[in-house]
Amino acid sequence: MTRIRVNTEDLKNKAKDFDSAAEAFKRAGDDILAAAMAMPSYDGQLSGPARKMGYEFQKQARELSAALASDAESLRETAQAFEEVDNRTVNAIEASSVMLSSAFIPGGPGGEDSEIIRQGGSPTWLGLDFLAYKDYGNVVYIWRNGEMITITITDENRELINKYEDYLDEFYKNLADFFNAFNYLDQQYGNTLKLLSVLALLVGLGILTAKLFVAIASFLGAGTIVANLLEETADKALDMAGLSPLDIIKECGKILDPVNPEKWVPELNNLITSGQEASQALNNANDIWNTLFPPPPTPESPYDPVPTPPTKTPTPTPTPTP
């Protein structure tokens, strides 16, 4: 399907052109009628037919004028509708990025609850089971996978807890940058669904994690199309798997604008960089968590190999002497 881009300022300008044309046709019809009414009579042989034609010309001109005026109003209403949708999307993403960049930055001692030394994250952001913590110094509450876990702080685990909190703060900061980069692209490009398709492609290539893609799609109310987009871009991801990072970005630019793909390279690079940094920080936080609380071994891949039962050392049989 051919991509459709809408410039609302162009629609408004065209509406003005239609208004001008409508007024011009209306004036032309009136002028023709006035000229016909001024024709000499010649015993009715000229004035009669001229006036009849003048009235008909005026009628047709006014009908055309009304149609052009209606088209102008339709263009203005269309421009307003597109702007309202764009504004809702932009405002929503901006509100999200502000929330991520401010509400999740850890605070120091004090504030409304003076017992909290440090806190960050959100346990239920965008309806997803995101991560959060509240550190009271001697105990820390951590939210993971929709559950709250209480950890007593000791000399042995304090350093790891601090690192976990640092990585979680870094994750949310980079997540805010990721949303800002997507928001900027969405404003400049004006096709949210196409941008989500590019994200799905980057997920298929392993450049971005599915968690970030799901977060964006869910926030925009497009969560139900996530699986479809991933499936639609699977073949394209296979074709691009051997390309360099720069070539991949250029190919994504071609998806957005086949005529001028280079235009989108800097913005796409910012999107990818912030997304990768967010993913890396999240991976680091999970690594710290697994160090604090190693997952239980599974029968398929136990942590400790099953010892081999010892076997009795054979002793040589003495050779009988004759």
Side-chain angles (χ1 to χ4, degrees):
M1 181 180 294
T2 303
R3 174 168 56 86
I4 299 176
R5 298 186 65 182
V6 177
N7 186 323
T8 56
E9 291 302 319
D10 286 346
L11 292 180
K12 293 176 183 178
N13 290 333
K14 293 300 181 184
K16 293 178 182 178
D17 292 341
F18 274 64
D19 283 331
S20 299
E23 183 62 27
F25 274 101
K26 183 175 180 294
R27 286 198 307 269
D30 293 343
D31 291 343
I32 291 174
L33 178 60
M37 296 294 288
M39 288 286 182
S41 174
Y42 293 109
D43 296 327
Q45 295 182 40
L46 178 59
S47 62
R51 290 181 181 183
K52 182 179 179 180
M53 292 180 63
Y55 280 121
E56 182 62 27
F57 277 125
Q58 184 191 51
K59 177 185 175 183
Q60 293 181 12
R62 289 193 173 186
E63 288 175 351
L64 183 55
S65 174
L68 290 170
S70 177
D71 290 340
E73 184 61 26
S74 177
L75 286 174
R76 279 190 289 268
E77 290 176 355
T78 301
Q80 182 178 359
F82 273 101
E83 287 178 346
E84 288 175 355
V85 173
D86 287 345
N87 289 336
R88 285 198 298 270
T89 302
V90 169
N91 291 339
I93 295 181
E94 285 181 347
S96 173
S97 62
V98 169
M99 177 183 66
L100 287 169
S101 59
S102 60
F104 300 131
I105 298 300
E112 295 180 358
D113 189 347
S114 59
E115 295 182 358
I116 298 178
I117 295 177
R118 185 177 179 184
Q119 62 180 334
S122 172
T124 55
W125 183 64
L126 299 182
L128 304 173
D129 289 331
F130 267 52
L131 308 175
Y133 68 88
K134 281 189 177 182
D135 193 333
Y136 289 82
N138 59 344
V139 65
V140 60
Y141 299 100
I142 293 179
W143 285 263
R144 288 180 64 89
N145 302 321
E147 297 181 358
M148 188 187 76
I149 302 166
T150 304
I151 302 175
T152 301
I153 303 300
T154 65
D155 292 340
E156 289 75 20
N157 66 13
R158 168 46 78 185
E159 183 177 357
L160 287 175
I161 292 294
N162 287 342
K163 286 184 178 180
Y164 178 83
E165 294 171 355
D166 288 342
Y167 284 131
L168 201 57
D169 296 337
E170 184 180 346
F171 164 68
Y172 275 101
K173 177 184 178 299
N174 291 324
L175 187 62
D177 293 339
F178 178 73
F179 263 67
N180 283 330
F182 183 91
N183 182 31
Y184 181 79
L185 266 172
D186 194 36
Q187 291 182 65
Q188 296 296 313
Y189 184 61
N191 190 322
T192 303
L193 184 59
K194 182 70 73 172
L195 286 174
L196 288 175
S197 297
V198 171
L199 285 187
L201 177 61
L202 294 173
V203 170
L205 288 166
I207 295 174
L208 294 178
T209 64
K211 196 177 188 73
L212 297 179
F213 175 45
V214 172
I216 286 279
S218 298
F219 184 76
L220 295 173
T224 56
I225 68 172
V226 168
N228 291 336
L229 288 176
L230 290 173
E231 183 177 354
E232 290 172 4
T233 56
D235 292 339
K236 183 71 173 177
L238 287 175
D239 295 338
M240 294 169 56
L243 299 180
S244 68
L246 179 58
D247 287 337
I248 289 175
I249 295 176
K250 290 180 178 179
E251 288 298 317
C252 290
K254 290 180 182 178
I255 295 174
L256 298 181
D257 190 348
V259 177
N260 187 18
E262 298 286 340
K263 172 184 177 181
W264 304 100
V265 169
E267 285 77 14
L268 286 169
N269 187 58
N270 290 337
L271 182 75
I272 292 172
T273 299
S274 57
Q276 289 180 327
E277 290 176 350
S279 298
Q280 184 60 54
L282 185 59
N283 290 337
N284 291 340
N286 288 332
D287 288 343
I288 295 294
W289 183 262
N290 291 333
T291 301
L292 283 167
F293 304 99
T298 61
E300 293 77 11
S301 57
Y303 282 92
D304 298 318
V306 178
T308 302
T311 57
K312 184 177 179 179
T313 303
T315 57
T317 302
T319 304
T321 54

